[in-house]
Amino acid sequence: MPCDGISCSLSAEELKNHRDDLIPGLFHRSDRVEEITNGFRFMFSRKPNLLIELAELIEKENLCCSFLSFVLSVG
């Protein structure tokens, strides 16, 4: 889960309201999820605006949970 209540800057209500736009939403929207050392790898099918949506999600997560790091790879 993205925010543990200690490091997250979102309130519980804000987190609930934005849940689909943050990491929990990735689990539902991705085609495949792999647990890797120090995190998760999410794989997605190509679709219009996917890169924009992922970049926006990363930006939102970075604002509320700055301890997370992201790598976005397109191939």
Side-chain angles (χ1 to χ4, degrees), residues 3-28:
C3 298
D4 61 12
I6 296 170
S7 301
C8 183
S9 64
L10 293 178
S11 69
E13 185 67 23
E14 289 171 320
L15 182 58
K16 180 181 172 188
N17 290 337
H18 294 285
R19 198 159 205 78
D20 291 338
D21 297 330
L22 299 174
I23 286 179
L26 284 180
F27 283 95
H28 295 95

Side-chain angles (χ1 to χ4, degrees), residues 29 44-56 72:
R29 294 171 46 201
F44 300 87
S45 298
R46 294 176 193 259
K47 70 173 195 171
N49 298 314
L50 177 63
L51 291 176
I52 294 167
E53 292 174 23
L54 292 175
E56 289 173 349
L72 183 59

